[in-house]
Amino acid sequence: MIAGVIAVVLLLAVAAYACAGGTDYGAGFWDLTAGGAERGKRPRWLIDHAMAPVWEVNNVWLIFVLVIMWTGFPLFFQQVFTAMWLPLALAGVGIVLRGAGFALRKAARRLAGRRLYGAVFAVSSLLTPFFFGAAAGGVASGRVTEATRASTDAWANPTSVLFGLLAVATSALLGAVFLAADARRFDAPDLTDYFRRRAVGALAAVAVLAVITLVVTHGDAPHVWHGLTHGVGLVFVVLAALGTPATAWLLFRSSGAWSRVTAVGVVGSAVIAWEMAQRPYLVPTSLTVAEGAGAETTLRWLGLVTLVAVVLILPAVVLLYRLDTRGELEPLTDADLRRPAGGER
């Protein structure tokens, strides 16, 4: 019973990281595709201002996922990180490089330095979600077993590649939707249209990739395919499908604020659908939740610590997101920093 509860917590943490971290990665994706220095100047300006207040806190969800994995499901953690050490290591390096690139490109004095750090940030924002998705696809396809050792086949297979592409596409979707809403907040109609068009394009890419993935999993990951087309997994697939046209419609409404909610619903529903499709396995069809769980005493303490974290940390994170989406966490500008104390001129 307690193992099942902790597994649900892990599921929700993965979904939260896919949505929060995915929005960050998506902003980096659009930074990469914005064009040259002049053409991409305004989109990159918006990306910098939108990400500045929250880009660090989004990785809290990843830390939460890792702690639950190695504490609550140590055998699962061992199998995944043994078989998938290369893509996960590359994703970890990507997180470090994109953070450094984002922070240093604004501090660099020379144009060449800003371009270098900007390229590191943008390319890492593309590769990191791909490698995370590829590792998840290897798990979904059942290639991560006790006997599996690190190999290309574990993560460079049809299901893994499609999961990786879906991770990139959903990140691009979330990034474009949130940036379109931020452009409205900054009263920049040209950027609103710019990111709105890209959000619709990303929605179409997500829909196409989702259909292709469903077809491929029929032969490459049959247990997951069955879970996605039956029961609870199917319910969340339908929710994601319904959220797709709803997001497109809301993007073109006057305010468009609710498009962020439906976009998060699309991505969150898709992640939960995959996780529900694996039941009762952590790794289809070789490791169940019960078999991969740690000692019951450990699980009970983990549940208690998780409850404390939810009570103390979750409200603060939610408040941060709320303040950010309402535009109350704008970074200081050069003019603000040069202004005399007390607002004197």
Side-chain angles (χ1 to χ4, degrees), residues 46-58:
L46 179 62
I47 289 167
D48 281 347
H49 281 71
M51 284 185 58
V54 297
W55 69 277
E56 291 178 291
V57 75
N58 287 330

Side-chain angles (χ1 to χ4, degrees), residues 74-342:
L75 183 57
F76 177 51
F77 182 87
Q78 176 189 2
Q79 291 184 10
V80 169
F81 276 79
T82 298
M84 300 291 181
W85 75 266
L86 181 57
L88 291 175
L90 291 173
V93 170
I95 290 174
V96 174
L97 290 178
R98 74 182 298 274
F102 181 73
L104 294 176
R105 73 172 177 177
K106 290 183 288 186
R109 295 182 179 274
R110 296 183 179 180
L111 178 60
R114 290 196 296 270
R115 285 178 172 174
L116 173 62
Y117 292 129
V120 169
F121 162 69
V123 173
S124 298
S125 297
L126 173 67
L127 296 179
T128 301
F130 176 82
F131 286 123
F132 274 135
V139 174
S141 64
R143 288 177 167 86
V144 177
T145 66
E146 187 176 0
T148 303
R149 293 295 176 264
S151 67
T152 304
D153 180 64
W155 60 274
N157 54 76
T159 300
S160 289
V161 171
L162 283 167
F163 269 50
L165 293 176
L166 263 175
V168 173
T170 54
S171 296
L173 165 63
L174 290 169
V177 170
F178 274 75
L179 286 168
D182 287 328
R184 293 188 190 93
R185 192 178 78 219
F186 284 105
D187 194 23
D190 59 322
L191 291 178
T192 301
D193 292 337
Y194 178 93
F195 284 111
R196 189 161 51 190
R197 292 193 301 270
R198 281 154 178 76
V200 172
L203 263 175
V206 169
V208 171
L209 285 170
V211 172
I212 296 173
T213 301
L214 194 61
V215 172
V216 169
T217 55
H218 183 271
D220 197 51
H223 180 84
V224 168
W225 175 85
H226 183 271
L228 290 172
T229 55
H230 297 80
V232 180
L234 178 59
V235 171
F236 282 97
V237 169
V238 171
L239 288 176
L242 293 175
T244 301
T247 301
W249 180 71
L250 288 168
L251 277 167
F252 289 92
R253 302 292 290 173
S254 57
S255 67
W258 284 97
S259 62
R260 294 178 296 195
V261 177
T262 54
V264 168
V266 169
V267 177
S269 295
V271 173
I272 294 174
W274 155 54
E275 294 169 327
M276 288 291 100
Q278 293 194 174
R279 293 185 308 161
Y281 296 100
L282 292 169
V283 180
T285 52
S286 61
L287 183 68
T288 65
V289 170
E291 292 169 345
E296 185 171 344
T297 302
T298 301
L299 293 176
R300 292 185 184 279
W301 277 106
L302 180 59
L304 178 61
V305 171
T306 299
L307 181 61
V308 172
V310 167
V311 171
L312 296 181
I313 298 174
L314 184 61
V317 174
V318 171
L319 177 61
L320 175 65
Y321 288 152
R322 179 172 175 79
L323 292 175
D324 180 52
T325 55
R326 293 174 60 181
E328 299 181 21
L329 296 176
E330 304 302 334
L332 292 174
T333 64
D334 291 339
D336 294 323
L337 295 174
R338 289 194 297 268
R339 186 176 301 166

